[in-house]
Amino acid sequence: MAEFRYMRNLMIKLQDKAKEIKHLQDKVLPELKQQLAETKGIFKGKERKALEIQIQQTEREIADKLDKIPDTLKAYGYPDVQVFMTTYRKAEPVVEQYNRDLAKWERQVNEKEKPNRPLEKESVRDRLRHL
């Protein structure tokens, strides 16, 4: 379980990095390109150059972040992304089954601790008749 928690935390970090990359690719970069396309005119040369530089920097940033993902996994002891994902996908159903079994066991233990029903008190007449 400790290994899986470790892997899950690593997976969360990787997903956060992937979200950042996706945001840069899907939102920031197209907006910059759109601004560049809208910047027309003879006197807008400086603005175009600045936007082109921003686009290049954003593309470099995306490439750097993509390159750092395998390095992050290597730092945690996994040779590459495929090995990590294969291991994670194999461990995930095992852990889910363990959690289901644990929950089932806890329910059974809790049910045994609770008395089913309080014993009904016999009426005095019924006791006297019985005696």
Side-chain angles (χ1 to χ4, degrees):
M1 285 300 292
E3 175 72 20
F4 183 75
R5 283 189 202 109
Y6 176 76
M7 289 176 67
R8 186 177 52 208
N9 290 338
L10 184 56
M11 182 67 142
I12 290 169
K13 287 180 187 177
L14 292 175
Q15 287 174 342
D16 289 343
K17 288 182 180 186
K19 285 179 186 176
E20 290 176 15
I21 293 169
K22 186 163 180 65
H23 173 72
L24 288 173
Q25 287 176 335
D26 293 346
K27 301 243 175 162
V28 176
L29 197 59
E31 286 176 7
L32 290 173
K33 289 182 178 180
Q34 180 67 30
Q35 287 177 358
L36 181 64
E38 291 173 356
T39 307
K40 296 180 182 175
I42 298 171
F43 301 108
K44 305 252 179 167
K46 286 184 179 180
E47 287 181 45
R48 278 195 301 270
K49 260 205 192 266
L51 286 171
E52 288 173 355
I53 290 171
Q54 276 186 316
I55 290 171
Q56 289 173 353
Q57 287 175 344
T58 305
E59 288 173 344
R60 270 195 303 261
E61 186 179 351
I62 291 169
D64 289 343
K65 287 185 180 205
L66 284 172
D67 290 341
K68 287 181 182 178
I69 289 176
D71 295 338
T72 303
L73 288 172
K74 285 180 184 176
Y76 286 99
Y78 295 97
D80 61 5
V81 177
Q82 291 177 341
V83 171
F84 172 76
M85 289 306 296
T86 303
T87 308
Y88 184 81
R89 286 192 179 117
K90 284 181 183 176
E92 199 170 24
V94 172
V95 171
E96 287 176 9
Q97 182 63 41
Y98 170 79
N99 287 335
R100 283 193 296 270
D101 292 344
L102 181 64
K104 182 180 175 184
W105 177 79
E106 287 175 348
R107 278 194 307 272
Q108 288 175 349
V109 168
N110 288 338
E111 287 175 4
K112 287 181 183 177
E113 289 177 1
K114 296 178 186 175
N116 292 341
R117 285 181 142 187
L119 297 174
E120 294 180 14
K121 295 182 180 180
E122 294 181 34
S123 69
V124 176
R125 285 187 186 167
D126 289 341
R127 274 197 244 151
L128 287 174
R129 283 187 195 142
H130 180 68
L131 291 174

